[in-house]
């Protein structure tokens, strides 16, 4: 019986993925580009038990006995079993090393860590590209967590690819956890509803590749000001497409807008501070190493900001322990 523990870090998209080109294969409709974050990591251990029973999942110390999370984990394990010619059930223990009640998406780091740990526990020796493909089938953003630094996932791509190491443009990410907004719907459901009902979805599909290219170029040219402007445009265009869905998909809370206002003030005062938001009310702020302290202090003054996590770029997903019994 082989037990393998893997670590993967969450990533934040700078050019957003929203919408699928193929639902069954889970291929993204638009290109996306992310930064893997050191401060947000998931640690996952997989053991193939040898028994023909179903899979067991323990998430942050709590046994998950059914529902979507277990189904999604089992679907990934099924793909690994098919590749390795295994029939055994697996025990999966996964821990998010960031505040779990924070509403931060853990599916990217979760599925990346699961892909790495499960394939190694099954005796497979997969390349990062093969692992990225495996993770992407569960959650497209997870494909990007296979690499450290800046990572791209092209439209209709089966796997992500590295763009540049974080050191190339060593920005600081401040994750401002805000007071909660409206009840959130999952990204998968939100993007399907947007594609089906929003008249602005076509505009999003048409414009996203251009914005992706701007983000990519700004990173390669290490130009934080241009990157920040393109990053905000990508996030706000994505949210605009959702707001025009019927009924609207709205992740913004009053707190989200308060943070955006504060960033405008900071920029007027000469600071580098740019926002991006995902399927929740929290705001991730890109800033420079030199401006991180004053920007963080200004955000902490807001009563709607519950806490702030500071991160630099993080490394690739990897195996950290392996035991054979
Ligand atoms: C807003 O990767 O969670 O965070 O492929 O359906 O699992 P599925 O979606 P998911 O969507 C992430 C959406 C986003 C933007 C991004 O990370 O690019």
């Amino acid at each position: 019986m082989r037990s393998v523990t893997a670590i993967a870090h969450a990533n934040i998209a700078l050019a957003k993925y929203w919408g699928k080109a193929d639902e069954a294969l889970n291929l993204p409709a638009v290109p996306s580009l992310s930064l893997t974050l050191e401060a947000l990591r998931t640690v996952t251990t997989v053991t193939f038990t040898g028994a023909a029973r179903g899979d067991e999942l323990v998430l942050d110390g709590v046994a998950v006995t059914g529902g979507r999370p277990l189904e999604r984990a089992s679907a990934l394990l099924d793909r690994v079993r098919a590749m390795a010619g295994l029939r055994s059930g697996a025990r999966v223990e996964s821990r998010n090393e960031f505040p779990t009640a924070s509403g931060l998406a853990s599916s990217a780091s979760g599925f990346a860590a699961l892909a790495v740990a499960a394939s190694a526990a099954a005796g497979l020796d997969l390349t990062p590209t093969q692992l990225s493909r495996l993770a992407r089938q569960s959650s497209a953003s997870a494909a990007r967590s296979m690499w450290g630094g800046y990572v791209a996932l092209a439209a209709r791509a089966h796997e992500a690819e590295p763009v540049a190491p974080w050191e190339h443009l060593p920005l600081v990410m401040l994750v401002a956890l805000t007071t909660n907004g409206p009840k959130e719907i999952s990204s998968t459901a939100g993007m399907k509803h947007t594609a089906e009902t929003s008249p602005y979805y076509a505009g999003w599909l048409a414009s996203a590749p251009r914005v992706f290219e701007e983000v990519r170029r700004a990173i390669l040219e290490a130009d934080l000001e241009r990157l920040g402007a393109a990053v905000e445009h990508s996030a706000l265009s994505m949210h605009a497409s959702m707001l025009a869905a019927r009924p609207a998909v709205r992740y913004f809370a009053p707190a989200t807008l308060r943070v955006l206002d504060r960033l405008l003030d900071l920029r007027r005062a000469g600071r580098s501070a740019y926002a991006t938001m995902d399927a929740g009310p929290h705001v991730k702020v890109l800033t420079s190493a030199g401006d991180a302290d004053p920007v963080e202090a200004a955000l902490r003054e807001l009563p709607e900001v519950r806490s702030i996590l500071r991160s630099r770029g993080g490394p690739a997903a990897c195996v950290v322990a392996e035991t054979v019994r």
Side-chain angles (χ1 to χ4, degrees), residues 71-309:
E71 275 169 31
R72 288 180 87 183
S74 281
L76 191 152
L77 292 163
D78 284 344
R79 288 193 284 276
V80 169
R81 279 186 281 259
M83 280 189 268
L86 272 180
R87 298 169 71 92
S88 155
R91 178 178 165 79
V92 177
E93 271 187 84
S94 191
R95 221 175 49 243
N96 288 318
E97 294 194 336
F98 44 92
T100 44
S102 65
L104 285 175
S106 57
S107 73
S109 51
F111 285 113
L114 182 60
V116 173
S119 55
L124 296 168
D125 186 16
L126 302 184
T127 63
T129 298
Q130 289 171 312
L131 288 165
S132 177
R133 171 183 285 241
L134 180 61
R136 193 264 315 143
Q137 290 170 295
S138 296
S139 191
S141 56
R144 301 185 308 234
S145 277
M146 215 48 80
W147 280 278
Y150 297 98
V151 183
L153 178 66
R156 297 188 154 271
H158 289 259
E159 54 261 329
E161 56 188 6
V163 170
W166 170 75
E167 289 77 6
H168 181 76
L169 172 55
L171 58 79
V172 172
M173 188 81 84
L174 298 172
V175 180
L177 300 170
T178 60
T179 41
N180 288 330
K183 187 174 159 33
E184 288 164 25
I185 72 167
S186 74
S187 325
T188 310
M191 63 179 80
K192 184 169 159 55
H193 179 68
T194 305
E196 286 169 355
T197 68
S198 171
Y200 296 169
Y201 182 64
W204 160 249
L205 292 183
S207 61
R210 230 173 17 248
V211 183
F212 164 85
E213 200 38 48
E214 266 181 71
V215 166
R216 200 181 70 89
R217 209 164 315 135
I219 289 167
L220 294 177
E221 289 167 11
D223 185 335
L224 180 57
E225 312 314 310
R226 271 183 46 211
L227 175 65
V231 164
E232 286 206 344
H233 183 57
S234 174
L236 291 170
S237 305
M238 175 184 78
H239 285 279
S241 76
M242 305 179 199
L243 287 168
R246 296 187 78 162
V249 179
R250 179 171 68 85
Y251 293 110
F252 287 9
T256 314
L257 298 177
R258 290 277 290 157
V259 175
L260 294 182
D261 277 352
R262 183 52 64 99
L263 296 183
L264 276 182
D265 293 342
L266 282 161
R267 289 212 289 269
R268 282 192 199 111
R271 303 289 180 197
S272 283
Y274 303 93
T276 185
M277 291 76 66
D278 295 290
H282 314 297
V283 184
K284 291 92 178 189
V285 177
L286 281 67
T287 185
S288 63
D291 282 343
D293 282 342
V295 171
E296 181 172 341
L299 295 178
R300 281 194 191 281
E301 284 171 5
L302 298 175
E304 296 88 349
V305 171
R306 280 190 289 138
S307 60
I308 296 178
L309 292 166

